[in-house]
C-alpha cells in the first residue's frame, strides 16, 4: 500500500526565494531513502544538496537542469509505502516518513506533513478519493468509489462547456506550468479533480479557468414585474482620429539574466543604496611595521598568519572601542540595535561571483584562530561548498580589494550592516618616516558607514584607530 507525496523546494536560507537546478541525483523509478539527497541546487548563496524527507519510489521529477525553481514549487513526487495522504492510517516504518525524518534545512522541517488539499465548490453528489498506483504492489488509502456510483461528476455552468472532474488521478498531478498551479491556488481549485484537455491529460490554464467559471455564482434574474432599466442611446459622435503609437525598439546586445549569485548581489547592493544614507572617509597608512610583524610571527613556527587575519583582528579591536558601528538600524521601530557579537564578513571573489563568508564571534578568536577560519571559509567559497548559514548574519564586513591591484574604493555597505572597511593594495611608495623621505609599504584604507548610526567623529575615530594599528601593531597589545 502506498501514497504519493509531493516534495517541494524548501526555504534554504534567509531571504532566498528560489534556486537553480544544477544536477539531478535520482531518476524516475529510483528507490530513495528518508533524507537521501535527490537534487543539487544553486542558490544565491551556495550549492546545496536537497534531501527528500520521504522514502519510497520516485514517480516524477519537476524541472530540467538549469531551470529556476521558486521556493514552494514541487521538486519530486515519491510513492511512500503505507499510511495515507493525510497522515492517517497505520504507522510507517523503515523508509516511510509519517513521523518525520528529522532532517531540517533552514525554514522547513519534516515532522508534520502539511495537507495540500484544495477543492472546487461542492458539486452534486459525493466524490470519493483513491490512492495512486505505483510500482511495488497494491495500494491502500481512502475508500474506493461505491458500486454503481459514477467515478466523476460534471458541474453544470451556463455559458459554455465545463471541465470534466475526476477523482484523484493516478500518479503525480499532470501539471507542468507553475502559472497553472498559482491560478488554481488563488481560486481554490483542486487540480486533482480536473481532467486536463492537453496532451496525455495535461491540465492547462484554460481547464482551470473553466473550473473557476463553472463555480462562479450565476447572475440573479430580476423579479417578475420589475421594470428593466434601459440605457440611453449614445449620442452620435464623429470617429476619433486614430494615432499610431511609436513602437519602442529593444536595445541591441547580449542579454544576460540576473540570477543566482549575480542576481542576489544586484538586489542587495540596490537595496543598500536605496535605504542606507552612507558616507565614506579614507586615509593612507604605512603598513611596513605590520608586514614586519607578520614575517616575525610566521618565522616563529606554527600556523601561518595572513594579512587579512591581522586586519580582521584590528577590526575587532576597533569595534570594541567604537561599538556604534557594530549595529543595524530598525526603521520599523526607529531604533539602532547595537549587536553584542562581531560576526565578521569578508569579501571573497570566486568563479561564481562575489560572496561574503562570515566568521562567527570573531572578537573571541585568537589571531591564529582567525587566520585558520578565514582560510577554511575561503577554500569552501572557492569550491562552492559553503552552507547558507555561513553566508548570512554578518555584522561588519572587511573588503580586501587590494588583491585586484587597486589602491582605493568606496565600498557599498552590505545591508543590513552599518559599516564596511575597504583595504587597497600594499605597495612601496615615498613616505616621510621619522622626518626623512623613505620608501615604505603604504596602504589606503577606506571606510563607509551608515550615517544614521553615528556622525563623522565616530567614523573618523574608528578609521584613525585602524590606521594606527596598521602603522604600529604594538598598539593592539593594549587591548589584549
Amino acid at each position: 500500500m502506498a501514497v504519493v507525496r509531493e516534495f517541494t523546494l524548501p526555504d534554504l536560507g534567509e531571504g532566498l526565494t528560489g534556486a537553480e537546478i544544477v544536477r539531478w541525483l535520482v531518476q524516475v523509478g529510483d528507490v530513495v531513502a528518508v533524507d537521501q539527497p535527490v537534487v543539487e541546487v544553486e542558490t544565491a548563496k551556495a550549492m546545496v544538496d536537497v534531501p527528500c524527507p520521504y522514502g519510497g519510489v520516485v514517480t516524477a521529477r519537476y524541472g530540467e537542469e538549469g531551470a529556476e525553481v521558486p521556493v514552494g514549487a514541487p521538486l519530486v513526487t515519491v510513492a511512500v509505502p503505507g499510511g495515507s495522504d493525510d497522515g492517517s492510517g497505520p504507522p510507517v516504518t523503515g523508509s516511510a516518513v509519517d513521523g518525520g525524518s528529522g532532517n531540517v534545512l533552514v525554514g522547513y522541517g519534516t515532522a508534520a506533513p502539511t495537507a495540500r488539499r484544495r477543492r472546487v465548490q461542492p458539486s452534486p453528489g459525493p466524490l470519493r478519493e483513491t490512492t495512486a498506483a505505483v510500482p511495488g504492489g497494491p495500494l491502500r488509502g481512502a475508500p474506493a468509489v461505491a458500486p454503481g456510483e459514477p467515478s466523476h461528476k460534471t458541474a453544470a455552468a451556463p455559458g459554455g462547456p465545463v471541465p470534466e472532474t475526476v477523482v484523484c488521478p493516478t500518479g503525480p498531478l499532470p501539471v507542468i506550468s507553475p502559472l497553472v498551479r498559482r491560478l488554481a491556488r488563488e481560486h481554490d481549485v483542486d487540480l486533482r479533480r480536473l481532467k486536463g484537455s492537453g496532451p496525455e491529460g495535461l491540465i492547462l490554464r484554460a481547464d482551470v479557468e473553466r473550473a473557476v467559471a463553472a463555480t462562479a455564482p450565476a447572475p440573479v434574474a430580476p423579479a417578475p414585474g420589475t421594470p428593466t432599466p434601459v440605457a440611453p442611446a449614445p449620442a452620435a459622435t464623429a470617429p476619433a482620429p486614430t494615432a499610431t503609437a511609436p513602437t519602442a525598439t529593444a536595445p541591441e546586445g547580449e542579454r544576460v539574466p540576473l540570477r543566482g549569485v549575480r542576481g542576489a548581489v544586484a538586489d542587495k547592493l540596490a537595496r543598500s543604496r536605496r535605504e542606507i544614507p552612507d558616507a565614506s572617509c579614507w586615509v593612507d597608512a604605512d603598513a611596513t611595521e605590520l608586514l614586519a610583524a607578520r614575517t616575525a610571527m610566521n618565522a616563529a613556527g606554527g600556523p601561518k598568519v595572513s594579512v587579512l587575519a591581522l586586519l580582521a583582528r584590528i577590526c575587532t579591536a576597533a569595534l570594541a572601542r567604537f561599538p556604534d558601528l557594530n549595529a543595524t538600524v530598525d526603521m520599523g521601530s526607529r531604533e539602532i540595535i547595537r549587536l553584542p557579537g562581531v560576526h565578521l564578513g569578508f569579501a571573497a571573489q570566486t568563479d561564481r561571483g562575489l560572496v561574503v563568508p562570515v566568521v562567527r564571534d570573531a572578537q573571541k578568536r585568537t589571531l591564529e584562530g582567525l587566520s585558520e577560519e578565514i582560510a577554511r571559509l575561503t577554500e569552501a567559497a572557492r569550491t562552492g561548498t559553503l552552507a547558507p548559514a555561513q553566508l548570512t548574519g554578518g555584522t561588519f564586513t572587511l573588503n580586501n580589494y587590494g588583491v585586484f591591484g587597486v589602491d582605493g574604493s568606496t565600498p557599498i555597505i552590505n545591508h543590513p550592516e552599518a559599516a564596511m572597511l575597504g583595504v587597497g593594495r600594499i605597495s612601496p611608495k615615498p613616505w616621510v618616516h621619522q622626518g626623512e623621505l623613505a620608501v615604505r609599504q603604504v596602504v589606503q584604507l577606506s571606510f563607509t558607514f551608515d550615517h544614521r548610526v553615528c556622525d563623522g567623529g565616530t567614523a573618523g575615530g574608528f578609521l584613525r584607530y585602524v590606521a594606527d594599528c596598521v602603522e604600529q601593531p604594538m598598539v593592539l597589545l593594549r587591548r589584549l
Side-chain angles (χ1 to χ4, degrees), residues 199-249:
E200 299 181 1
L202 183 67
I203 298 177
L204 305 178
R205 179 174 180 175
D207 300 324
V208 178
E209 291 175 343
R210 282 195 294 269
V212 174
T215 58
V220 179
T226 303
T228 303
V230 178
T237 56
T242 58
T244 303
T247 303
T249 58

Side-chain angles (χ1 to χ4, degrees), residues 425-471:
R425 63 175 177 170
I426 302 176
S427 59
K429 292 182 180 180
W431 190 267
V432 176
H433 177 64
Q434 295 180 351
E436 296 182 358
L437 188 63
V439 177
R440 306 287 286 180
Q441 300 295 322
V442 179
V443 62
Q444 184 180 95
L445 306 172
S446 56
F447 185 60
T448 299
F449 63 99
D450 186 340
H451 226 314
R452 295 174 297 179
V453 304
C454 69
D455 295 325
T458 301
F462 175 92
L463 185 59
R464 187 64 257 172
Y465 178 80
V466 170
D468 289 344
C469 291
V470 168
E471 294 182 340

